[in-house]
C-alpha cells in the first residue's frame, strides 16, 4: 500500500508539532487543536541549552533530569542505552556528572514550529575531572508544555574522525 507524500508530510508534521494538520499541510480545525502557539525566538530556544548546561554544573542528576519532559528520550554520547524513563535519565547523569562536564556550543541551527523547537549542531564538552575535551554532534527537540519548554528528545554522538 503506497502512502502519498502529502499524507506522509501531514503525518510527520502532526507527530512533530502535536497540532492537527490536514493533508494539504494547513492547520485543521477541531477540538484537538486547542492550544495556541506560544511566541518564542531563536534566542529563547538557544537559552534552553544554557539552562540545561547550568543544571549540569549543580552536580545534581535530578536537577538535570528536570529539563526533560515525561516520556522523553535521551540518546547520550557516553551510553549505548536509550534512556526513556526519568529513572534511566537520572542514572545516566549520576555517572556523567562525576566527570564535571561543561558544554560549549560550536555551531547551531534552530528551527521553530508551533510549540516545538529543534536545536541542532556541534558542541564540545570539557570534562573538569580530567580536562579532556569531547567533541560531539547534538540534536535537542523541545516542546512547550503550557508552562515551560522541556526536552522531548536529545541525541548526542561523537564526531566522526573523518569529514
Amino acid at each position: 500500500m503506497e502512502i502519498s507524500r502529502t499524507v506522509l508530510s501531514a503525518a510527520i508534521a502532526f507527530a512533530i508539532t502535536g497540532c492537527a494538520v490536514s493533508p494539504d499541510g494547513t492547520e485543521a480545525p477541531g477540538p484537538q487543536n486547542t492550544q495556541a502557539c506560544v511566541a518564542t525566538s531563536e534566542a529563547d530556544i538557544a537559552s534552553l541549552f544554557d539552562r540545561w548546561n547550568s543544571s549540569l554544573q549543580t552536580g545534581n542528576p535530578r536537577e538535570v533530569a528536570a529539563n526533560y519532559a515525561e516520556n522523553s528520550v535521551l540518546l547520550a554520547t557516553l551510553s549505548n542505552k536509550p534512556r526513556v524513563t526519568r529513572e534511566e535519565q537520572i542514572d545516566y547523569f549520576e555517572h556523567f556528572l562525576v566527570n564535571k562536564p561543561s558544554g560549549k556550543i560550536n555551531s547551531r541551527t534552530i528551527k521553530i514550529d508551533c510549540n516545538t523547537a529543534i536545536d541542532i549542531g556541534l558542541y564540545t564538552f570539557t570534562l573538569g575531572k580530567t580536562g579532556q575535551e569531547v567533541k560531539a554532534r547534538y540534536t535537542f527537540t523541545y516542546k512547550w508544555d503550557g508552562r515551560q519548554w522541556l526536552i522531548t528528545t536529545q541525541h548526542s554522538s561523537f564526531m566522526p574522525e573523518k569529514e
Side-chain angles (χ1 to χ4, degrees):
M1 177 176 180
E2 188 174 312
I3 299 174
S4 76
R5 283 190 142 166
T6 303
V7 171
L8 184 57
S9 295
I12 291 169
F14 176 78
I16 291 172
T17 66
C19 298
V21 177
S22 66
D24 67 358
T26 60
E27 246 181 73
Q32 72 276 27
N33 193 22
T34 58
Q35 187 178 11
C37 299
V38 67
T40 195
S41 67
E42 286 191 18
D44 292 338
I45 300 307
S47 74
L48 298 173
F49 175 82
D50 298 333
R51 179 184 76 183
W52 177 81
N53 195 37
S54 292
S55 72
L56 294 177
Q57 307 317 300
T58 70
N60 183 340
R62 293 187 182 283
E63 189 143 338
V64 180
N67 291 291
Y68 294 81
E70 291 298 321
N71 301 315
S72 59
V73 177
L74 168 63
L75 299 175
T77 313
L78 302 178
S79 176
N80 292 328
K81 178 182 178 184
R83 308 298 175 128
V84 297
T85 68
R86 180 66 45 124
E87 293 76 26
E88 290 172 337
Q89 292 162 358
I90 290 168
D91 176 69
Y92 173 76
F93 287 114
E94 283 175 348
H95 296 94
F96 184 60
L97 293 176
V98 169
N99 296 309
K100 301 196 180 309
S102 178
K104 177 183 160 230
I105 300 292
N106 302 104
S107 67
R108 72 166 19 124
T109 300
I110 293 176
K111 304 287 184 182
I112 299 171
D113 205 345
C114 180
N115 298 333
T116 61
I118 303 172
D119 182 357
I120 306 158
L122 305 176
Y123 57 15
T124 301
F125 272 91
T126 301
L127 304 179
K129 187 174 180 179
T130 63
Q132 177 187 8
E133 286 193 345
V134 177
K135 294 184 183 301
R137 301 174 283 193
Y138 73 86
T139 302
F140 284 92
T141 61
Y142 300 98
K143 182 155 184 63
W144 178 256
D145 75 350
R147 295 185 347 261
Q148 65 179 331
W149 289 96
L150 292 172
I151 299 166
T152 53
T153 61
Q154 178 188 352
H155 177 245
S156 181
S157 59
F158 288 113
M159 292 292 291
E161 292 185 27
K162 298 180 182 180
E163 290 190 28

